[in-house]
Amino acid sequence: MFAIFLSSKMDPFYQNIGSFPTVIFTFFLGVSLCFWLIAVLGLIDLDVVDIDVDLPDGNGSADGADANMSLAGILSRFGLHGVPLTIVISLLSWFGWIISYLAVHYILNPIASQGLVHYLLGLIIFLCSLYLASIPSAMIIRPLRKIFSDPYQDMAKHLTGQIAVVRTSRVDATFGEAFFNDGGAGLILKVRSMNDETFVKGDRVVLLEYVEAQNIFRVISEQEFNGVLKQSAHH
């Protein structure tokens, strides 16, 4: 059954998937397949690619804000937002691979199988394949947004004022997550510091304010929060 994959009849197939530009999608498709295999075994989370693509909240650095806005804006423009980035990459890789393979096999190779023209046309095919791949990807992502919608949005009022523990390497005005012990499995919350503070992993912070538009909690240190309470009590 598997002998066909080793036969000479498969040579054109291997040549196409290993040639530019299909090889780019082949690489990411291979990475995606490995990721999902590990995910099915329960050894990794869907959001393991910890890339923050939220719109900036106005307190971050200019470079970080511009980068976040750019990536978030691109994903939103093509309808690729609202789900883990791993799903977006997997879908774009799969559909892009199919489109690119067909374009290389039926258009690029008959015109120019090598040389500078091959790479110039290949670049055009790559960009077109990526754009066309975003269309079915967005259609699949649309109904998935409800599944990956904010799991604690309705609990925001109850969480405000509670203590959480920083779980990422840092929490600042543009990046970070914290773990809240709810007595069960716990919640992983996206948090942002106030007043340009920076916290490190293990720090205890207080969930001061929930920003629904950005799906984040603004936090301050437990010590600062206790100090505010003492001042209020004295007054």
Side-chain angles (χ1 to χ4, degrees), residues 18 23 76 80 101 146 157 169 180-181 183 185 191 193 213 228 235:
V23 66
S76 179
L80 304 175
Y101 178 88
K146 293 182 179 180
K157 293 183 179 179
S169 60
F180 173 73
N181 187 357
V191 296
S193 68
V228 172
H235 289 298

Side-chain angles (χ1 to χ4, degrees), residues 205-220:
V205 295
V206 177
L207 306 172
L208 194 64
E209 176 189 7
Y210 179 67
V211 184
E212 182 177 352
Q214 299 171 16
N215 189 23
I216 62 170
F217 281 92
R218 297 186 189 275
V219 299
I220 60 174

Side-chain angles (χ1 to χ4, degrees), residues 168-181:
T168 47
S169 60
R170 77 179 196 280
V171 165
D172 54 29
T174 62
F175 177 85
E177 292 181 346
F179 176 80
F180 173 73
N181 187 357

